[in-house]
């Protein structure tokens, strides 16, 4: 296909909707200081568009409110779209991916503010009102970014660059991160007094990056401002023995002191596994390798520091169970797995579906 042909290839309803959402979002961000009233209106319009995009991707009729869906009217724009509440309900009930409560609350606050802006005249906004808008949008932006980058990551993947560029712009201007950090600061300071450890977040640069030890030498970081999550595992190099080496999830191991490199799922598993009986007759009753319910990894969970570590995503578990149908060790809830199966089998129901 030529570049010209690719450029003029027809776009889907989902792509058109997301492009519109990005346009409204970029406009809202550009107006935050100069025209906060229209920034609120455009920001909420973007939020509503992004909530409806997964519905359209599943089927266009899901965004039609009330009446019998008509494709011709849909294409011409002659229809009433579902409300915010209906979109949230459909995400949960039909697509089985409900909004997190924090996201729903943040979006609803922007929605209500937008309604006040539309229905009541505002001749101007004072400094306090402008700061309130910044805080509302800051909270909603990071929730929206999580909705796009995590919950619906695969669906929005073609638009990753646009969202990353918006995030870089926001961080450079320090609009949203600073506003949300100042609001969270009293809580963060209280957590520090209680013994919590915070560092500067590498993404938004606020001191809201909480560090926690999940297991010996396994550290998790979570930013309370931008929701940036990272895990890091400290280990000894298997060749030179240097103890100050680190790995991140889904990455291979590369020693900074020598030429040692380890890659591949089975090789990483062998590197991190602490079952000293692996490969012997005493290993026959071992409950690893197990399947990871967090990342759906197959036989990626090994024994580590008295618990269990997924060598893919670095999720740490205190215990593992066993699928009641296929008998594979697993980290998730084993209840009803005889009937429904686990992530890697169909259970009794699936096995006899065609009987």
């Amino acid at each position: 296909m030529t570049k010209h042909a690719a450029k003029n290839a027809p776009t889907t309803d989902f792509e058109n909707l997301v492009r519109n959402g990005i346009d409204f979002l970029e406009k809202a961000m550009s107006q935050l200081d100069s025209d906060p009233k229209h920034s609120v209106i455009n920001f909420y319009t973007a939020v509503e568009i992004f909530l409806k995009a997964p519905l359209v991707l599943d089927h266009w009729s899901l965004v039609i409110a009330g009446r019998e869906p008509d494709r011709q009217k849909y294409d011409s724009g002659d229809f009433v779209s579902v409300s915010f509440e209906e979109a949230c309900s459909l995400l949960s009930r039909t697509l089985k991916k409900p909004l997190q409560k924090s996201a729903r609350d943040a979006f609803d606050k922007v929605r209500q503010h937008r309604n006040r802006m539309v229905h009541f005249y505002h001749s101007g906004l004072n400094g306090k009102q402008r700061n309130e808008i910044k805080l509302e949008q800051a909270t909603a932006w990071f929730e929206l970014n999580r909705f796009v980058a995590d919950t619906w990551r695969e669906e929005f993947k073609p638009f990753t660059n646009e969202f990353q560029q918006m995030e870089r712009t926001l961080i450079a201007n320090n609009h949203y991160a600073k506003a949300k950090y100042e609001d969270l600061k009293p809580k963060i300071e209280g957590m520090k007094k209680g013994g919590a450890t915070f560092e500067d977040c590498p993404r938004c640069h606020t001191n809201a990056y909480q560090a926690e030890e999940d297991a010996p030498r396994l550290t998790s970081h979570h930013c309370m401002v931008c929701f940036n999550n990272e895990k890091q595992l400290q280990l000894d190099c298997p060749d030179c023995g240097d103890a100050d080496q680190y790995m991140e999830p889904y990455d291979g191991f590369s020693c900074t002191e020598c030429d040692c490199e380890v890659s591949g799922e089975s090789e990483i598993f062998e590197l991190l596994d602490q079952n000293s009986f692996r490969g012997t007759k005493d290993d026959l009753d071992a409950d690893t390798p197990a399947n990871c319910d967090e990342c759906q990894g197959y036989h990626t969970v090994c024994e580590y520091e008295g618990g269990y570590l997924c060598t893919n995503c670095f999720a740490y578990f205190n215990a593992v169970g066993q699928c009641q149908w296929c008998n594979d060790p697993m980290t998730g809830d084993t209840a009803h797995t005889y009937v429904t199966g686990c992530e890697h089998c169909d259970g009794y129901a699936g096995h006899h579906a065609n009987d």
Side-chain angles (χ1 to χ4, degrees), residues 148-307:
V148 169
D150 292 339
T151 309
W152 295 93
R153 179 173 57 249
E154 289 303 314
E155 290 76 8
F156 284 100
K157 196 172 184 178
F159 304 95
T160 298
N161 289 338
E162 285 92 334
F163 272 87
Q164 289 179 342
Q165 180 58 48
M166 281 190 283
E167 186 176 49
R168 284 193 292 268
T169 300
L170 287 172
I171 290 171
N173 295 331
N174 211 19
H175 280 320
Y176 289 168
K178 183 179 179 181
K180 188 173 179 183
Y181 175 72
E182 290 300 322
D183 184 61
L184 289 170
K185 194 172 181 179
K187 180 178 180 179
I188 291 173
E189 292 301 320
M191 292 173 68
K192 287 180 179 178
K193 290 178 181 178
T197 301
F198 286 87
E199 303 170 3
D200 289 342
C201 176
R203 180 181 291 175
C204 69
H205 310 303
T206 64
N207 192 239
Y209 201 46
Q210 186 178 8
E212 297 181 284
E213 187 178 73
D214 294 343
R217 305 212 291 179
L218 176 63
T219 305
S220 291
H221 288 86
H222 169 72
C223 183
M224 294 176 63
V225 169
C226 70
F227 305 124
N228 181 29
N229 288 296
E230 293 182 359
K231 286 178 178 285
Q232 195 174 59
L233 182 69
Q234 184 181 7
L235 71 161
D236 299 349
C237 174
D239 281 0
C240 72
D242 186 84
D244 197 27
Q245 298 300 312
Y246 296 88
M247 283 183 65
E248 294 182 353
Y250 305 105
D251 281 349
F253 170 75
S254 180
C255 181
T256 58
E257 298 296 322
C258 70
D259 295 330
C260 177
E261 292 188 354
V262 182
S263 61
E265 281 192 7
S266 60
E267 290 77 11
I268 296 296
F269 184 96
E270 184 178 345
L271 174 66
L272 301 179
D273 183 28
Q274 293 182 351
N275 181 346
S276 59
F277 300 107
R278 187 76 67 202
T280 71
K281 64 178 182 180
D282 296 316
D283 184 42
L284 296 177
D285 295 324
D287 48 12
T288 58
N291 301 326
C292 179
D293 190 63
E294 293 291 320
C295 69
Q296 285 72 57
Y298 178 71
H299 286 186
T300 58
V301 177
C302 70
E303 295 181 24
Y304 182 82
E305 297 294 345

Side-chain angles (χ1 to χ4, degrees), residues 9-285:
T11 55
T12 65
D13 292 344
F14 174 76
E15 291 170 334
N16 286 326
L17 200 57
V18 174
R19 292 287 178 202
N20 280 338
I22 290 173
D23 284 344
F24 278 107
L25 198 54
E26 289 178 336
K27 187 67 173 176
M29 292 173 178
S30 70
Q31 295 170 321
L32 189 57
D33 288 322
S34 61
D35 189 1
K37 173 181 176 179
H38 288 94
S39 178
V40 170
I41 294 170
N42 286 323
F43 190 97
Y44 177 70
T45 302
V47 167
E48 195 167 275
I49 286 173
F50 284 116
L51 292 183
K52 293 174 183 178
L55 302 178
V56 167
L57 187 62
D58 188 79
H59 197 272
W60 62 269
S61 63
L62 290 177
V63 296
I64 309 296
R67 72 181 82 173
E68 189 74 21
D70 185 312
R71 180 71 205 199
Q72 187 173 349
K73 288 185 176 181
Y74 171 80
D75 288 336
S76 67
D78 182 18
F79 68 94
V80 177
S81 180
V82 293
S83 67
F84 170 75
E85 293 294 338
E86 289 170 325
C88 291
S89 176
L90 286 165
L91 287 170
S92 175
R93 179 167 40 86
T94 304
L95 302 190
K96 308 301 181 185
K97 286 190 177 182
L99 272 181
Q100 295 192 29
K101 185 180 184 302
S102 57
R104 186 165 182 156
D105 291 346
F107 297 158
D108 197 40
K109 186 172 288 188
V110 177
R111 180 186 68 85
Q112 293 178 38
H113 204 151
R114 175 261 182 199
N115 288 346
R116 292 196 298 273
M117 290 292 190
V118 169
H119 296 289
F120 303 100
Y121 175 72
H122 289 74
S123 58
L125 297 170
N126 60 36
K128 181 181 179 182
Q129 291 170 321
R130 288 171 181 266
N131 287 335
E132 287 176 353
I133 290 173
K134 283 187 178 182
L135 177 58
E136 284 181 7
Q137 288 194 15
T139 305
W141 157 255
F142 290 118
E143 292 288 357
L144 182 61
N145 198 31
R146 179 160 61 174
F147 177 81
V148 169
D150 292 339
T151 309
W152 295 93
R153 179 173 57 249
E154 289 303 314
E155 290 76 8
F156 284 100
K157 196 172 184 178
F159 304 95
T160 298
N161 289 338
E162 285 92 334
F163 272 87
Q164 289 179 342
Q165 180 58 48
M166 281 190 283
E167 186 176 49
R168 284 193 292 268
T169 300
L170 287 172
I171 290 171
N173 295 331
N174 211 19
H175 280 320
Y176 289 168
K178 183 179 179 181
K180 188 173 179 183
Y181 175 72
E182 290 300 322
D183 184 61
L184 289 170
K185 194 172 181 179
K187 180 178 180 179
I188 291 173
E189 292 301 320
M191 292 173 68
K192 287 180 179 178
K193 290 178 181 178
T197 301
F198 286 87
E199 303 170 3
D200 289 342
C201 176
R203 180 181 291 175
C204 69
H205 310 303
T206 64
N207 192 239
Y209 201 46
Q210 186 178 8
E212 297 181 284
E213 187 178 73
D214 294 343
R217 305 212 291 179
L218 176 63
T219 305
S220 291
H221 288 86
H222 169 72
C223 183
M224 294 176 63
V225 169
C226 70
F227 305 124
N228 181 29
N229 288 296
E230 293 182 359
K231 286 178 178 285
Q232 195 174 59
L233 182 69
Q234 184 181 7
L235 71 161
D236 299 349
C237 174
D239 281 0
C240 72
D242 186 84
D244 197 27
Q245 298 300 312
Y246 296 88
M247 283 183 65
E248 294 182 353
Y250 305 105
D251 281 349
F253 170 75
S254 180
C255 181
T256 58
E257 298 296 322
C258 70
D259 295 330
C260 177
E261 292 188 354
V262 182
S263 61
E265 281 192 7
S266 60
E267 290 77 11
I268 296 296
F269 184 96
E270 184 178 345
L271 174 66
L272 301 179
D273 183 28
Q274 293 182 351
N275 181 346
S276 59
F277 300 107
R278 187 76 67 202
T280 71
K281 64 178 182 180
D282 296 316
D283 184 42
L284 296 177
D285 295 324

